[in-house]
Amino acid sequence: MTDIRASRGLRPVINVSGTMTALGASIVVPEAVAAMTAILPQFVEINDLHKLASPVIARLTGGEAGFVTASCSAGITLAVAAAMTGNDLAAIERLPDATGLKDEVIIQTGHVVSYGAPVDQGIRLAGAKAVLIGQATSCYPYHLDGAINERTAAAVFVVSHHTVQYGLIALKQFAEVCHARGVPVIVDAASEYDFKIFLEQGADIALYSSHKFLGGPTGGIVAGKKQLVRDAFLQNRGIGRGMKIGKESILGTIAALEAWEKRDHIGTRERETGLSPPMEADTDRQTGCHCRDRSGSDAQPP
Ligand SMILES: *Cc1c(COP(=O)(O)O)cnc(C)c1O
């Protein structure tokens, strides 16, 4: 097969650093490529495609429902917007004007990182204010509890090797404090392997990138509680329009999720770790997540 990169004068890349946007994210699995190629030349009712995606996402994440959007970054904005507007269509069309809505979103200071863009900008894009709690390396449940008030719409928790890995509130406790005060928890788990653990640990919404470990097309997966997922989906009638996902990426993500279920994950990891020089295992204390050698980071030096 001729390499399309060579014919367009693009340099080939041997990627030993991870699933990064700057390097073309991931290599899309053949099942997704086939599904995308098959649907691209066809008209299809897009909401029927979304309906197909929901049970597949639910099955893999343990959530009640799910949908596919443009990116995980878009997912942050849509989930925050959902927590602000509920299913109020007029409010959805009014965003990012948040007049009269709950507009504060709590996040631990040690989670306000850049994955190529600032995490808090994804919150602000919805018209919300990011309320930073604690210090970069120190945050306690009293910081969280003390920040919750009648304007609090949601709390965002970021799972990433970019975040400070010590001294912060772990997800389970974070969710307990939020839920005791009726605040939904949105987890950005963009580049994590484990599609179930964050909802299990109390997230109301968990967000993943389709184009990282999943090996899907560019996209974001929103999974979790039915009501919140639905309200996030409704944002497609508002600020979500610019974050639109196409038919090929919805079907490509479905195919990638189905392929993920059948993949030999242990074999893949053994092959990858066998190829890389020995590194010290870095198990995330807060989530038990193993985020070692494939970073998923989009952060680039200027
Ligand atoms: C990659 C990443 C994102 C952005 O995901 P996209 O799907 O590329 O928008 C957000 N958060 C974290 C922690 C990431 O690693």
Side-chain angles (χ1 to χ4, degrees):
M1 216 170 75
T2 55
D3 188 331
I4 194 166
R5 296 172 297 188
S7 68
R8 294 280 182 177
L10 298 165
R11 283 202 295 177
V13 172
I14 298 165
N15 183 357
V16 290
S17 45
T19 50
M20 305 196 292
T21 292
L23 295 179
S26 60
I27 292 176
V28 177
V29 296
E31 292 89 339
V33 173
M36 293 165 79
T37 306
I39 197 74
L40 272 167
Q42 312 290 351
F43 289 117
V44 62
E45 290 178 82
I46 207 82
N47 282 339
D48 286 348
L49 262 184
H50 279 297
K51 268 189 216 159
L52 274 186
S54 184
V56 178
I57 294 170
R59 189 169 74 236
L60 268 99
T61 62
E64 294 170 2
F67 71 96
V68 189
T69 181
S71 62
C72 179
S73 188
I76 297 172
T77 305
L78 300 181
V80 165
M84 296 166 72
T85 64
N87 64 1
D88 180 343
L89 295 178
I92 286 169
E93 288 186 15
R94 235 175 11 248
L95 286 186
D97 177 348
T99 309
L101 302 175
K102 293 180 178 187
D103 66 348
E104 293 185 4
V105 175
I106 297 169
I107 182 168
Q108 300 185 82
T109 302
H111 282 187
V112 184
V113 296
S114 174
Y115 48 76
V119 163
D120 61 299
Q121 189 172 40
I123 295 170
R124 288 184 282 113
L125 260 175
K129 286 197 267 293
V131 175
L132 276 53
I133 57 167
Q135 292 81 45
T137 55
S138 162
C139 192
Y140 291 96
Y142 72 83
H143 287 121
L144 177 55
D145 196 53
I148 296 173
N149 63 56
E150 68 286 345
R151 302 210 62 82
T152 307
V156 167
F157 188 101
V158 181
V159 184
S160 166
H161 67 285
H162 290 302
T163 63
V164 175
Q165 301 293 315
Y166 60 92
L168 305 185
I169 311 170
L171 178 56
K172 241 178 163 168
Q173 191 170 31
F174 190 87
E176 275 164 23
V177 174
C178 287
H179 291 161
R181 305 283 300 276
V183 173
V185 175
I186 297 160
V187 173
D188 169 4
S191 60
E192 298 304 310
Y193 281 95
D194 194 322
F195 288 126
K196 289 211 161 122
I197 192 169
F198 308 110
L199 291 173
E200 274 168 15
Q201 290 188 349
D204 296 281
I205 291 252
L207 306 164
Y208 296 92
S209 295
S210 178
H211 48 270
K212 291 182 180 171
F213 299 123
L214 187 60
T218 301
I221 295 167
V222 179
K225 296 262 164 66
K226 193 170 186 174
Q227 185 71 51
L228 257 182
V229 166
R230 188 164 186 276
D231 295 343
F233 179 72
L234 284 175
Q235 308 298 325
N236 282 316
R237 304 170 61 121
I239 57 170
R241 180 63 186 209
M243 309 169 191
K244 180 168 81 171
I245 186 90
K247 59 190 173 188
E248 70 283 8
S249 299
I250 302 172
L251 199 62
T253 297
I254 293 172
L257 284 166
E258 288 169 346
W260 178 264
E261 278 182 305
K262 295 185 201 125
R263 220 191 282 179
D264 171 18
H265 295 284
I266 293 166
T268 303
R269 281 191 74 75
E270 273 172 3
R271 199 170 63 247
E272 287 174 351
T273 46
L275 288 170
S276 60
M279 289 167 88
E280 223 172 275
D282 169 23
T283 301
D284 185 342
R285 182 182 67 76
Q286 293 178 54
T287 59
C289 237
H290 196 62
C291 44
R292 193 179 126 172
D293 45 353
R294 298 186 62 186
S295 69
S297 158
D298 290 346
Q300 289 285 306

